[in-house]
Amino acid sequence: MGARHGSIRDLLLVRGGTVVTGQASLRVDVLCGGVGEILATGPDLERPTGCTVVEAGGLLVMPGGVDPHTAIGADEAGFERTNEALAGGTTTILDTMHPCGGTLDGAWRAWKQAAGRSRVDVGVHMALPAATPAIVHDMEGLVTQRGVNTFHLSMAEGLSDRAILQLAGHAIGYGALCRIEAQNAQAIACLREELAQVGITGSEASLLGAPPPVEVEAVGRALMLAGLKGGRCMSARSLHPGL
């Protein structure tokens, strides 16, 4: 029931359903409108003029699901398939875009064009591959001009602790957040090579190549780096804390 890409929606009254929240379940009507706002809740709400009514008697009315970690990128066909997520109750996704050798702004524009095909609300985490002067310069423009407020820092892709500290410091200065993909890239690479030598190259190699001690170490390191910058780590998904 949210607005997609900030568009204005007409009034919608969901009537007679059982609203389920984290605190309680109760039978109330829900009036929505504007840019995805819930305007009113209560029993037997009056129907405004011109309002669309959805009869939800006997049904559960729940907040839409949010997937905080997808990796569609600049793939229009991938965003078109988000109708499958919507059918399952996911109404918002937070995608990760990798520049892949180009500029951050160029990556954002390619992502924005592809995301126009989405069937659900979308947001983006911009991945930062290095702490070069060009990337640091582009970070500010993404925040102030493009509305990007979260950056993705991947230990798994080889970002050093030094680079993470530098990029996180700049992000804090711009009022943005950082999300750390906490892995020990060198240990995982070594373990994967050993697994390949004995013929284990399928999906099971992903699990065997990143055993709990390896990830525990990386998460602890991410927490330490966050502390050095005065930040807190909040887990958006298992073992993926944000700085």
Side-chain angles (χ1 to χ4, degrees):
M1 292 186 291
R4 187 160 68 88
H5 307 312
S7 59
I8 302 297
R9 292 192 173 181
D10 296 331
L11 294 177
L12 175 69
L13 178 61
V14 181
R15 174 179 286 165
T18 299
V19 173
V20 180
T21 72
Q23 291 74 40
S25 299
L26 60 162
R27 187 275 182 219
V28 291
D29 298 342
V30 181
L31 178 64
C32 308
V35 187
E37 302 100 335
I38 295 177
L39 303 178
T41 61
D44 303 318
L45 292 179
E46 183 177 346
R47 176 185 178 180
T49 302
C51 177
T52 301
V53 176
V54 174
E55 296 294 345
L59 302 177
L60 300 178
V61 181
M62 297 183 288
V66 178
D67 188 335
H69 186 70
T70 64
I72 300 173
D75 180 1
E76 293 188 6
F79 277 108
E80 288 177 347
R81 291 195 295 272
T82 53
N83 59 346
E84 299 169 11
L86 186 60
T90 297
T91 58
T92 301
I93 62 173
L94 301 177
D95 196 43
T96 304
M97 180 64 193
H98 293 263
C100 298
T103 66
L104 296 186
D105 192 68
W108 179 85
R109 285 187 279 108
W111 178 87
K112 179 110 171 21
Q113 179 176 345
R117 300 281 187 175
S118 179
R119 306 302 199 259
V120 299
D121 295 349
V122 294
V124 65
H125 308 294
M126 181 61 68
L128 303 178
T132 64
I135 287 177
V136 170
H137 176 269
D138 284 355
M139 287 173 65
E140 182 177 11
L142 285 183
V143 175
T144 60
Q145 300 175 29
R146 305 302 192 187
V148 175
N149 62 6
T150 309
F151 295 103
H152 177 78
L153 309 179
S154 177
M155 292 178 177
E157 295 175 6
L159 269 184
S160 67
D161 292 355
R162 179 185 180 90
I164 289 173
L165 284 171
Q166 291 175 333
L167 292 169
H170 287 292
I172 291 170
Y174 302 143
L177 300 174
C178 286
R179 182 185 66 176
I180 298 178
E181 182 180 6
Q183 298 282 2
N184 187 313
Q186 295 185 25
I188 290 174
C190 180
L191 292 173
R192 292 294 291 269
E193 288 175 5
E194 293 176 353
L195 291 168
Q197 289 173 3
V198 295
I200 302 176
T201 58
S203 58
E204 66 272 21
S206 296
L207 178 61
L208 296 174
V214 171
E215 297 201 335
V216 167
E217 180 276 330
V219 170
R221 188 152 39 96
L223 289 166
M224 177 271 294
L225 295 173
L228 292 178
K229 288 297 178 181
R232 302 184 301 171
C233 281
M234 295 170 27
S235 180
R237 64 190 297 230
S238 179
L239 301 178
H240 287 264
L243 184 60

